[in-house]
Amino acid sequence: MLKDNLAVVEKNIADACKRAGRSRSDVTLVAVSKTKPNEMIGEVYALGVRDFGENYPQELKAKHDTLPSDIRWHMIGHLQRNKVKYLIERVCMIHSVDTEELAETISEQAVKHHLVMPVLAEVNMAEEDTKFGIRPQDAEDFVRRISVLPGIAVRGLMTIAPYVENPEDNRVHFRNLKNLSIDIGRKNIDNVAMCELSMGMTNDYMVAVEEGATLVRVGTGIFGARDYSAAI
């Protein structure tokens, strides 16, 4: 099942890249493995996937410490400041930086461990009350403020689009995030490189790729429905 699911996702990404005139190598598939057992992750790993996304810091820690060391772990869920210590030496990127206080904690931990953590600013493009993230109009100022922190490298933007029946309904949000990243990139802010756009999930990743996503977060499309009772 996983092999077939992954093949479908890979073909969809390749087709979306072709429609947009992009190279397949421009897009990284992040397999969202939250609540999934190591055995399933291992099966997807054996098929060549190396980037995995997790929502829960303690679950990520447990998986990191028991699965192959060349896996690139991405923190994609809402992150509490007191959980940063579990992640700082285990993830290749934190996608969900949405407050200055969180950025300061990441900075402190990164400096403590003598590393630089790539981060993305999470933007609530649809301005949904139920979603985390900064408002689009606040994004540039937010990026400027966190970019001066030691131990942090601002690499781009991330958004979680609304759940919609028709993926086309989210095209506007993805397009607007891309445009926002271009606008910020043109300001040539020190320690800011708008080179990554983390957007698109199982329901709408093809549209996101067409609109410029460099990281797509696909869980259900690869692993099937999640078992939240397994979350740590």
Side-chain angles (χ1 to χ4, degrees):
M1 178 192 79
L2 296 182
K3 182 178 181 180
D4 293 340
N5 290 350
L6 180 61
V8 169
V9 172
E10 285 286 357
K11 182 179 186 304
N12 287 341
I13 293 174
D15 289 347
C17 285
K18 187 175 181 180
R19 288 192 296 272
R22 304 179 66 196
S23 168
R24 171 64 186 87
S25 62
D26 292 342
V27 181
T28 297
L29 170 62
V30 179
V32 180
S33 50
K34 64 178 182 181
T35 79
K36 295 305 179 183
N38 285 5
E39 292 76 15
M40 292 183 76
I41 297 171
E43 188 174 338
V44 175
Y45 172 91
L47 295 169
V49 175
R50 292 296 180 269
D51 291 87
F52 290 84
E54 289 286 334
N55 284 55
Y56 309 114
Q58 287 153 297
E59 184 179 356
L60 188 153
K61 177 182 181 296
K63 290 175 177 177
H64 171 279
D65 294 352
T66 55
L67 286 163
S69 60
D70 63 336
I71 288 178
R72 294 180 291 271
W73 294 99
H74 298 249
M75 180 63 196
I76 62 174
H78 180 65
L79 181 57
Q80 295 176 314
R81 296 173 66 190
N82 65 343
K83 300 294 177 63
V84 172
K85 60 190 176 186
Y86 296 121
L87 303 176
I88 200 68
E89 292 189 290
R90 293 180 170 90
V91 297
C92 68
M93 180 177 288
I94 298 174
H95 293 224
S96 48
V97 178
D98 60 348
T99 68
E100 218 170 330
E101 293 78 13
L102 174 59
E104 289 168 354
T105 300
I106 295 169
S107 171
E108 292 165 4
Q109 288 290 326
V111 170
K112 179 180 177 181
H113 289 89
H114 308 288
L115 57 84
V116 176
M117 176 56 62
V119 302
L120 305 179
E122 181 175 357
V123 185
N124 186 348
M125 291 306 297
E127 299 193 51
E128 296 179 276
D129 292 338
T130 57
K131 294 276 178 65
F132 294 102
I134 55 178
R135 299 184 304 168
Q137 58 267 40
D138 297 331
E140 181 185 333
D141 183 57
F142 178 74
V143 165
R144 286 183 181 277
R145 293 199 310 273
I146 68 173
S147 68
V148 301
L149 297 170
I152 278 182
V154 182
R155 303 293 290 166
L157 306 176
M158 176 267 220
T159 197
I160 300 175
Y163 181 81
V164 291
E165 292 296 325
N166 182 1
E168 285 293 329
D169 293 343
N170 279 337
R171 188 177 293 276
V172 63
H173 303 307
F174 299 144
R175 184 170 295 171
N176 287 342
L177 188 72
K178 172 66 172 179
N179 289 336
L180 182 60
S181 76
I182 291 172
D183 289 342
I184 295 174
R186 284 174 176 160
K187 303 296 173 64
N188 293 316
I189 305 167
D190 286 347
N191 195 34
V192 174
M194 287 286 119
C195 55
E196 300 289 359
L197 277 178
S198 174
M199 59 187 192
M201 300 191 292
T202 292
N203 190 51
D204 53 22
Y205 66 90
M206 288 176 281
V207 174
V209 169
E210 291 171 0
E211 293 300 330
T214 65
L215 295 150
V216 290
R217 312 178 304 270
V218 181
T220 304
I222 297 171
F223 292 101
R226 298 188 184 102
D227 176 10
Y228 284 95
S229 67
I232 296 175

